[in-house]
């Protein structure tokens, strides 16, 4: 009996205190991108007229708990509200929590930048292409500095970052091309550079610059939200910027939530954890959820009763859907 009791005690101690290589996933907090956090607008415009609204556009998150014990994992799994998954699905071998945090913050900042460009592009504001990152010892490193505007590459005008790649098609290492750029308020300057061989191989000439789209406007858009990581808030940030800058009042008092990664062209991409996000949205009062079209099947299988799932593939789709909801017109849903 003493031996059996000791085994039970040991099992209880192990189950209660020893961490297992799993993470627990569940509904996370939601944030109104049209509202305030700690007394500051989540999305604010400085230098251009903006408008307030009485509705809500909530971005949604997933909670991830990396401090899971055996009994804790069992309890969370049995609750039906959380899912338990192997840790290696979310953390690379040897990756520290701090490294994960920095990676998530970088993704979050990138999503903010893409959201701004996509929103302003949708509203008709001009966009420019800049040198975002420059490869050391590349042809670009001898000419460009981060932040320089790319005006034309190989004689082809650049109006979007994809134009840079297109301009280098059919070029070869050793070929000389013209590159026109603008630094700050200076006049554009044209230089001739010799293309290099790509470090990863291939026949196309290599310039060594990572271009990025940036808004070319005389005002600033600030997104103030701390302790949130990942790229999936982009679509809701973009919608909030559109709503702030337009007097149209798309939300019109409604409580709308959503998710979706967004690129600078306004394409809304799929994200993970949507089954938890629809639950969190409903619990925080949302009646409509904007779903990336490739997440529709998963969202439909997990959505609580009374939450309308609206399918979107681009920012323009989302703006059109909000307009139709406001006007009582049909919208594309995940049901078909």
């Amino acid at each position: 009996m003493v031996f059996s009791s000791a085994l039970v005690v040991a099992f209880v101690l192990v189950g209660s205190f020893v961490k297992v290589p799993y993470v627990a996933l569940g509904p996370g907090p939601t944030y109104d991108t049209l509202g305030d956090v700690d007394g500051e607008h989540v999305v604010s415009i400085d230098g251009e007229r903006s408008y307030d609204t009485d509705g809500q556009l909530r971005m949604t998150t997933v909670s991830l708990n990396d401090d899971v014990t055996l009994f804790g994992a069992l309890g969370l799994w049995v609750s039906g509200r959380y899912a338990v998954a192997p840790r290696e699905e979310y953390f690379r071998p040897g990756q520290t929590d701090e490294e994960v945090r920095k990676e998530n913050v970088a993704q979050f900042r990138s999503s903010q930048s893409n959201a701004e460009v996509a929103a302003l592009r949708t509203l008709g504001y001009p966009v420019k292409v800049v040198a975002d990152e420059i490869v050391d010892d590349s042809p670009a490193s001898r000419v460009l500095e981060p932040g320089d505007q790319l005006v034309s590459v190989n004689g082809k005008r650049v109006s979007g970052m994809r134009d840079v790649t297109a301009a280098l098609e059919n070029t070869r290492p050793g070929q000389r091309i013209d590159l026109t750029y603008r630094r700050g308020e200076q006049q554009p300057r044209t230089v001739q550079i010799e293309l290099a061989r790509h470090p990863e191989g291939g026949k196309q000439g290599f310039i060594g610059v990572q271009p990025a789209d940036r808004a070319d406007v005389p005002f600033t858009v600030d997104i103030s939200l701390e302790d949130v990581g990942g790229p999936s808030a982009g679509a809701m940030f973009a919608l909030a910027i559109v709503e702030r800058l337009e007097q149209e009042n798309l939300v019109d008092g409604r409580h709308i939530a959503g998710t979706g990664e967004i690129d600078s062209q306004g394409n809304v991409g799929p994200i993970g954890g949507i089954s938890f996000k629809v639950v969190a949205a409903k619990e925080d009062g949302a009646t409509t959820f904007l779903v990336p079209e490739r997440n529709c099947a998963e969202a439909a299988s997990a959505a609580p009763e009374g939450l309308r799932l609206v399918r979107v593939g681009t920012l323009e789709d989302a703006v059109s859907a909000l307009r139709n909801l406001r006007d009582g017109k049909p919208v594309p849903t995940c049901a078909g």
Side-chain angles (χ1 to χ4, degrees), residues 10-225:
F11 178 70
V12 170
L13 290 174
V14 169
S16 300
F17 298 103
V18 176
K19 291 175 60 176
V20 292
Y22 287 84
V23 296
L25 305 167
T30 70
Y31 302 90
D32 179 17
T33 57
L34 294 175
D36 296 349
V37 172
D38 297 329
E40 291 187 24
H41 282 322
V42 173
V43 174
S44 58
I45 314 294
D46 185 21
E48 180 79 342
R49 184 173 182 180
S50 60
Y51 303 90
D52 290 328
T53 179
D54 55 354
Q56 295 186 21
L57 280 174
R58 287 197 166 270
M59 55 164 282
T60 51
T61 67
V62 175
S63 69
L64 188 150
N65 182 5
D66 185 37
D67 189 18
V68 180
T69 64
L70 176 61
F71 287 171
L74 290 173
L76 292 170
W77 179 73
V78 170
S79 73
R81 182 178 174 82
Y82 295 85
V84 178
R87 190 179 190 278
E88 62 265 22
E89 292 185 9
Y90 296 89
F91 296 87
R92 294 188 297 272
Q95 189 178 30
T96 66
D97 290 345
E98 179 62 16
E99 289 171 338
V100 172
R101 187 194 69 80
K102 289 182 178 179
E103 186 176 290
N104 284 337
V105 168
Q107 291 177 340
F108 188 62
R109 288 175 178 168
S110 177
S111 76
Q112 293 177 344
S113 177
N114 286 343
E116 177 184 353
V117 174
L120 296 181
R121 177 176 266 141
T122 295
L123 292 173
Y125 289 96
V127 172
K128 62 183 178 181
V129 182
V130 302
D132 189 34
E133 297 180 13
I134 299 172
V135 178
D136 291 339
D137 299 323
S138 67
S141 70
R142 294 184 280 274
V143 177
L144 299 174
E145 294 179 0
D148 286 348
Q149 179 182 353
L150 303 178
V151 179
S152 68
V153 177
N154 197 20
K156 299 177 181 178
R157 186 163 184 83
V158 172
S159 58
M161 63 182 188
R162 296 175 182 174
D163 294 339
V164 177
T165 302
L168 294 173
E169 289 181 359
N170 301 318
T171 61
R172 294 291 181 266
Q175 180 178 338
R176 299 185 69 84
I177 67 168
D178 287 337
L179 171 67
T180 303
Y181 68 96
R182 182 199 302 272
R183 180 166 298 160
E185 299 301 321
Q186 300 176 11
Q187 291 296 314
R189 181 185 178 191
T190 300
V191 295
Q192 195 170 75
I193 61 173
E194 182 177 321
L195 298 177
R197 188 173 302 279
H198 199 289
E200 298 179 1
K203 297 179 179 180
Q204 183 172 295
F206 177 67
I207 190 174
V209 61
Q210 175 63 51
D213 291 338
R214 294 288 184 267
D216 190 13
V217 293
F219 59 88
T220 59
V221 177
D222 293 317
I223 298 177
S224 303
L225 195 59

Side-chain angles (χ1 to χ4, degrees), residues 257-274:
T259 188
E261 186 172 356
I262 198 167
D263 65 18
S264 61
Q265 301 293 320
N267 299 304
V268 178
I271 48 80
I274 197 166

